[in-house]
Amino acid sequence: MFDGPFDAFALIIAIIAFLIAIKASSQATELRRRLNSLEEMLYAQRPVQPPPLMPAQAEATATSTAAEPPPLAPEAETTPPPLVTEEISPPPLEPSTGADAPPPVPEAAPGFEERLGTRWVVWIGGVALALGGFFMVRYSIEAGLLGPGVRVFLGGLFAAALLGAGEWTRRKESISSIAALPIANIPAILTAAGTAVAFATIYAAYALYGFLVPATAFVLLGIVAMGTLAAALLHGPALAGLGVVGAFVTPILVSSGKPDYWALYIYLAVVTAASFGLARIRLWRWLAVTTIAFAVLWIFPGLDTEQVQVAPHAFHAIVGFVLAALLVVCGFMFGPTFEDGEIEPVSSGALGAYLFGAMLVVLSSAHADLALIAFTLLVGGTLFVAWRAPAATGALGAAAAAVFIVFAEWAVRANPDMLVLPGGPMPGVGPVATDSSVTLHLVTAAIFAAGFGVAGFFAQGRSNSAIIPVVWSAAGVATPIAILVALYARIAHLDRSIPFAILAVLVAAAFGAATEALMRREERPGVATSVALFATGTLGALALALTFALEKGWLTIALALMSLGTAWISLQRPIPVLRRLAAIFAAIVTARIAYDPRIVGDAVGTTPIFNWLLWGYGLPAASFWGASIFLRRRADDAPLRVVETAAILFTALLAFTEIRHFATGGDMISPPSLLEFALQVCVTLAMAIGLERLRLRSHSIVHDVGAVVLTAIAGLISVFGLLILENPLLFSSVNVGGLVFNLLLLGYALPAVLMLLLSYAVAGHRRVAYANTIAGGALVFALTYVTLEIRRFYHGPVLLYGGTTSAEQYTYSIGWLAFGVVLLGVGILVNSERARLASAAVIALTILKAFVIDMSTLTGVYRALSFMCLGVVLVAIGWLYQRILFRRQIAPPPAAPQTGS
């Protein structure tokens, strides 16, 4: 009896053959349709042959033709020559037609009945043939008619019959050339069914009945697969797909308890060579891609074991790489031809796929020496093939990525026995290798860095395409830097290391020399971008040198200075990427601050102002301001805006962190206080005023937005910090200090003055509502200061506690009224309508207080004095408005008319 695996395998093979045949038949039908259309058009254009002439007529015609003089030159110039249609083989699909010939009628698309009769019937018939053989054998088993040997014999006989029928029908169609009609419909289906039955028969003889030993079954299945691939030369892609699937699935069907990887990979090498050869002969890209995918998948078996057999796995990767380079890569050895200057995906992907496999072997074997050597050979082979065949240039990116992954994984592998030890007079100086694997990695790292860097430099100018040299230069710059970072992480443990800093400086010097050399060359496609990449590598290596040599906050300062230096270099060498690099350095420093705002952790220090915050924020802020000045000399673009944003951000952070350090005595995690809020508001308003003045000259959108943002921050701190949370009259029991020079002066009076100055700075340059809102804030803070100062006079330095007496309440009214009068006087003196309106608002508030609060809380003389003073002031204000501000000129009476004497 047949069991489940045989049925499943049969069904899978049949389905695969069915799906592959669909594509083959569709292509054959389309090709036949186009050929029929071409024949009809050629027949319509064929000229009518005249009857043959008699000998006398032929002689007379020849004589008259010879006697006819040639046409004159002017006539030849005025009369255009007739159109000539050349006869080529094979003829074009769209031949030119005469002027009087009717256009060909487009052929109608095949209908449902045509598709059903010419396509689906054949496809279904092929599948039915294969399944029919399976079911016939199954019935014979269930009925007990045939023994195992007869079943296998009949299965093989049926497979041979189908293969013979496929060959007979192919010859019957009289296909004289493979290139003339590359796809045959019915023969391909019959042959595919025959190969499927042959696969199933051999597998049944091995797996079900034990007639074949594993080695014999393996060989027979391989022969069937290879024969299927060979038959695909005649029968088209249907058999090619079936053959390549069967060939790569055969090792799964025939397995043993102890896998022999050498036998497996030698067999796969033969299959890969045959498949690549077929793909090259017929130019089937899909077959090459399918083969590569299966071959890479066969690298995974055995990699998850503790003892990885490195040699056969490395052999598989190397052989596949070599075969792909010989047969698949366009423009190299026996590969297809390809237009120069373009990157071909299959060529690059083939090399990258086998590099990926070699990388897996290295990682799975814990960086065994043999695996690392094989990986190094494949990376070198990639450089060589890409150098000779530009179509494979895309593999450089895969090679660079694989190299970085290998060294990065080696860097993070937790193996203390393979680490180096620091030596020398200072920590981090002079690493000494303690294991041979470290030495091998250092040697391979030097080979990779030199190979990519040197090749990336000398590849410039070798191609007329811009993308080719750019890819080479990108790989030549990125790979050495990536390797250097990985080695630093592995050997120096991300700690300070002078040797690595020196090595980074040497790399920067090499990149700088390459940059200067390329700038002196003649203009070629891609050279400008390559120069920018090498310049970027120069600055990146210098940044790494600073990283390796400096500690804590000095790295932040160094990277900020790199931004300044990059901006200055961009003036001397107008390379576009330098401007972007200056912005990148600014972004890196900003990210560094986000990671640790204190820059040096707990080692900030307790000295006010002159501590690590001043250097960690002040020097970067100064660097970014200087960089923005350099960058603005050439353009106002995105890099400039990034640097300007960083300059504003670090200036604000410098102010905020220094204020917090000063207000908390160095304890950066203490809760905020009135002093801190007051200083923050004053400094923020001062910076907003400065940006408002600066934006009028620079016309920078960053300065414009920065001024608004700082104003909004100051407003939020003012409202929620000074007026609510830390208001000494509401929630805070803070000691405000002396009678006049106290926190109230700093927290309310000075912000009021700064708000007033800011409102005048934006007047006429921003919306009126914006300026009036800031001026309103100034009025609120000024009135708050007057109120709190009166409270301080009656209650001492702590304002929160104690009741309000009648004298205090009366003083509030007098103080507000006096403040309003002062505002009115200022408005009259400087002719400011805004000041007079503010005075009116304060006096109105005083009137409201008199009638709502004073009338109910004051008694005796205080109530009388309150209203009397209010009345006098109001009358005086009315007199001022009438006599000074809005005084009307009384027109003199008209003069009497004069009469003549």
Side-chain angles (χ1 to χ4, degrees), residues 571 579 627-645 694-695 697-704:
L571 291 179
R579 300 177 63 86
S628 66
I629 294 174
F630 290 141
L631 295 178
R632 180 168 291 280
R633 293 181 181 178
R634 289 196 176 272
D636 185 357
D637 52 4
L640 170 63
R641 294 167 187 173
V642 171
V643 175
E644 287 180 340
T645 302
L694 180 60
R695 76 179 184 90
R697 297 200 306 267
S698 65
H699 303 287
S700 171
I701 184 64
V702 175
H703 296 161
D704 190 353

Side-chain angles (χ1 to χ4, degrees), residues 15-37:
I15 292 174
I16 291 174
F18 176 75
L19 294 178
I20 295 176
I22 289 177
K23 180 180 178 181
S25 180
S26 299
Q27 293 177 351
T29 304
E30 177 64 19
L31 186 57
R32 286 196 181 93
R33 186 184 67 81
R34 296 177 67 182
L35 288 175
N36 293 335
S37 176

Side-chain angles (χ1 to χ4, degrees), residues 513-540:
T515 303
E516 290 296 325
L518 291 177
M519 289 190 67
R520 290 193 295 267
R521 290 188 180 182
E522 61 180 359
E523 186 66 25
R524 291 294 300 273
V527 171
T529 305
S530 298
V531 169
L533 288 173
F534 276 102
T536 303
T538 303
L539 296 173

Side-chain angles (χ1 to χ4, degrees), residues 776-802:
L779 178 62
V780 170
F781 267 76
L783 189 61
T784 302
Y785 171 72
V786 172
T787 303
L788 295 178
E789 232 355 276
I790 294 174
R791 180 80 174 177
R792 168 65 182 83
F793 178 79
Y794 282 96
H795 291 266
V798 180
L799 311 183
L800 185 60
Y801 307 108

Side-chain angles (χ1 to χ4, degrees), residues 34-102:
R34 296 177 67 182
L35 288 175
N36 293 335
S37 176
L38 177 60
E39 291 177 358
E40 293 177 359
M41 288 187 292
L42 291 177
Y43 181 78
Q45 297 175 17
R46 183 176 302 170
V48 179
Q49 297 292 339
L53 299 175
M54 298 301 291
Q57 294 176 342
E59 182 179 357
T61 303
T63 303
S64 62
T65 303
E68 183 179 356
L72 298 178
E75 181 181 355
E77 293 177 357
T78 57
T79 304
L83 295 176
V84 178
T85 303
E86 293 184 359
E87 195 172 359
I88 61 175
S89 180
L93 295 181
E94 296 181 0
S96 59
T97 60
D100 54 349

Side-chain angles (χ1 to χ4, degrees), residues 755-766:
M755 289 180 188
L756 183 62
L757 294 176
L758 181 59
S759 68
Y760 279 103
V762 302
H765 304 290
R766 295 191 184 274

Side-chain angles (χ1 to χ4, degrees), residues 843-894:
I843 293 175
L845 183 61
T846 306
I847 295 172
L848 181 63
K849 178 181 180 298
F851 284 95
V852 175
I853 298 177
D854 293 355
M855 185 175 293
S856 59
T857 58
L858 297 181
T859 58
V861 67
Y862 288 112
R863 178 187 296 177
L865 290 176
S866 175
F867 280 90
M868 289 172 60
C869 292
L870 179 61
V872 171
V873 171
L874 292 177
V875 171
I877 291 173
W879 181 84
L880 288 173
Y881 271 84
Q882 293 177 7
R883 297 294 181 178
I884 298 178
L885 293 177
F886 301 102
R887 181 175 57 182
R888 296 181 179 179
Q889 299 291 338
I890 300 176

Side-chain angles (χ1 to χ4, degrees), residues 251-491:
I252 300 177
L253 301 178
V254 182
S255 60
S256 60
K258 186 178 181 181
D260 186 354
Y261 287 104
W262 277 112
L264 169 65
Y265 289 138
I266 290 175
Y267 164 78
L268 291 179
V270 176
V271 172
T272 302
S275 182
F276 281 165
L278 178 60
R280 171 63 185 90
I281 293 173
R282 303 302 296 271
L283 297 179
W284 287 338
R285 295 161 57 97
W286 65 268
L287 182 59
V289 173
T290 304
T291 304
I292 294 169
F294 276 112
V296 173
L297 289 177
W298 270 112
I299 293 180
F300 285 91
L303 294 182
D304 56 345
T305 59
E306 294 182 358
Q307 297 294 333
V308 179
Q309 298 185 24
V310 177
H313 285 82
F315 168 80
H316 177 56
I318 292 175
V319 170
F321 182 91
V322 172
L323 290 174
L326 293 177
L327 299 173
V328 176
V329 175
C330 297
F332 183 80
M333 297 301 289
F334 307 107
T337 58
F338 196 72
E339 184 177 353
D340 187 21
E342 296 185 11
I343 299 177
E344 204 272 321
V346 176
S347 301
S348 302
L351 302 183
Y354 286 105
L355 278 172
F356 173 75
M359 180 193 70
L360 292 179
V361 177
V362 174
L363 300 181
S364 301
S365 63
H367 294 253
D369 292 352
L370 181 59
L372 192 60
I373 292 173
F375 178 73
T376 304
L377 291 176
L378 291 192
V379 173
T382 302
L383 293 176
F384 175 73
V385 175
W387 184 272
R388 296 291 302 273
T393 307
L396 294 175
V403 168
F404 174 71
I405 292 174
V406 166
F407 280 91
E409 195 272 343
W410 180 68
V412 300
R413 183 177 293 274
N415 191 353
D417 295 335
M418 297 179 62
L419 297 177
V420 299
L421 301 176
M426 56 191 309
V429 176
V432 180
T434 59
D435 193 274
S436 60
S437 179
V438 174
T439 304
L440 180 60
H441 279 78
L442 292 177
V443 172
T444 55
I447 294 174
F448 289 148
F452 277 94
V454 173
F457 173 75
F458 285 104
Q460 306 305 312
R462 297 185 67 250
S463 176
N464 294 326
S465 173
I467 187 63
I468 303 298
V470 168
V471 173
W472 274 103
S473 59
V477 170
T479 306
I481 291 179
I483 293 175
L484 184 61
V485 172
L487 293 178
Y488 168 72
R490 172 70 175 188
I491 296 176

